[in-house]
Amino acid sequence: MTSPLGRVLIIAGSDSGGGAGIQADIKAVTAMGGYAATAITAITVQNTLGVHGVHPLPLDLIEAQARAVLDDIGADAIKTGMLGSSEVVERVAAILDTSDAPAVVDPVMIAKGGHPLLPDAAVQAVRTLMVPRAALLTPNAPEAEALTGLGVADLDGQRRAGEALLALGARAVLMKGGHVAGETVIDLLLTPTGETLLEGPRVDTRHTHGTGCTLASACAAGLAKGLPLEAAVAEAWAYVAEAIRRAPGLGRGHGPLDHGWPLRERR
């Protein structure tokens, strides 16, 4: 039964700097009016200057966290982020099969500073196991290229890659355009019945750490609240755009967004 609060189970890695990963996910879900629970896949040593260490957690511990949440609190949506290995992908896919909650799959592969977060060998596991289980898949251009083998340099490339990912089994794909050159950023939502463009001016800022994690979690929060897909994505997209504009300027590298701005607006 759906909770009025919108319960989101997040399966992802921890970011000690708080800008991405589990920390960003919790902030985004909370800001969007949902309830966040977590199953942490890895501990990272991370700040705005980069990832300085990654320490995976045991498979049984990852599953035990997820099972503890699902068996007691339950979930109206599940969001996956950094998985880190083929073995984790396989275990998380099995967890998804035990729940009826829609899965928002963010195929995290590379950190903002360029540190790889998913080995090449695990990309095939994401392609075959996670993509078909995604109610919504949220790749950026490099991730879509890795999953499909297609170039994504413009809107047509986004469309072709998105259609290929639908053919691989995703029920919907949000092709993020932040890595596509241009003064305008276009995210393209594709479903088997059509497409929706979400378009806005590119903000000239280095403070975009965790944008993908935040957007996927905000989408999951909307789905958990019972919003239709298009409405959930549009609400999440507007939230992230404003969070980028309000970024607090923390750190000497790729700084975090202002995840909490809606909470201050409600005071």
Side-chain angles (χ1 to χ4, degrees):
M1 184 175 67
T2 300
S3 164
L5 191 57
R7 304 161 296 177
V8 181
L9 170 60
I10 303 152
I11 306 175
S14 168
D15 172 5
S16 56
I22 285 283
Q23 286 82 351
D25 297 327
I26 293 171
K27 294 172 190 176
V29 169
T30 303
M32 300 301 285
Y35 178 84
T38 64
I40 298 174
T41 59
I43 305 296
T44 71
V45 180
Q46 189 171 172
N47 56 23
T48 69
L49 298 175
V51 178
H52 310 289
V54 177
H55 302 272
L57 295 186
L59 293 175
D60 287 347
L61 179 56
I62 295 169
E63 182 172 2
Q65 294 174 84
R67 181 52 52 205
V69 173
L70 291 172
D71 289 349
D72 177 30
I73 296 168
D76 303 303
I78 299 175
K79 183 264 183 179
T80 69
M82 174 188 171
L83 301 181
S85 70
S86 299
E87 293 78 12
V88 176
V89 171
E90 291 168 1
R91 188 66 66 97
V92 171
I95 292 167
L96 295 181
D97 286 344
T98 69
S99 173
D100 293 330
V104 177
V105 175
D106 186 18
V108 176
M109 296 181 184
I110 301 174
K112 185 68 69 178
H115 189 284
L117 298 175
L118 189 71
D120 290 343
V123 173
Q124 177 64 15
V126 172
R127 183 184 299 116
T128 59
L129 296 176
M130 297 303 293
V131 172
R133 289 169 169 80
L136 176 64
L137 185 72
T138 63
N140 60 29
E143 291 161 351
E145 289 177 344
L147 289 169
T148 66
L150 300 171
V152 182
D154 53 22
L155 181 59
D156 285 340
Q158 288 175 265
R159 184 173 289 111
R160 285 192 296 270
E163 290 171 348
L165 291 167
L166 288 177
L168 287 174
R171 279 171 275 165
V173 180
L174 180 60
M175 288 292 306
K176 297 178 295 191
H179 289 76
V180 177
E183 294 183 1
T184 299
V185 176
I186 300 176
D187 288 2
L188 181 64
L189 175 63
L190 296 108
T191 71
T193 59
E195 65 179 44
T196 303
L197 269 67
L198 300 141
E199 184 174 354
R202 187 179 299 274
V203 179
D204 183 15
T205 179
R206 60 182 170 86
H207 299 290
T208 56
H209 181 53
T211 305
C213 302
T214 303
L215 179 60
S217 289
C219 288
L223 293 177
K225 291 188 294 185
L227 294 179
L229 175 67
E230 290 79 3
V233 171
E235 182 179 77
W237 193 90
Y239 160 69
V240 172
E242 187 64 18
I244 293 172
R245 285 190 287 269
R246 298 191 187 206
L250 302 178
R252 291 175 286 140
H254 297 288
L257 316 182
D258 181 1
H259 294 94
W261 72 262
L263 302 177
R264 295 192 301 276
E265 292 290 312
R266 295 172 194 149
R267 290 176 184 169

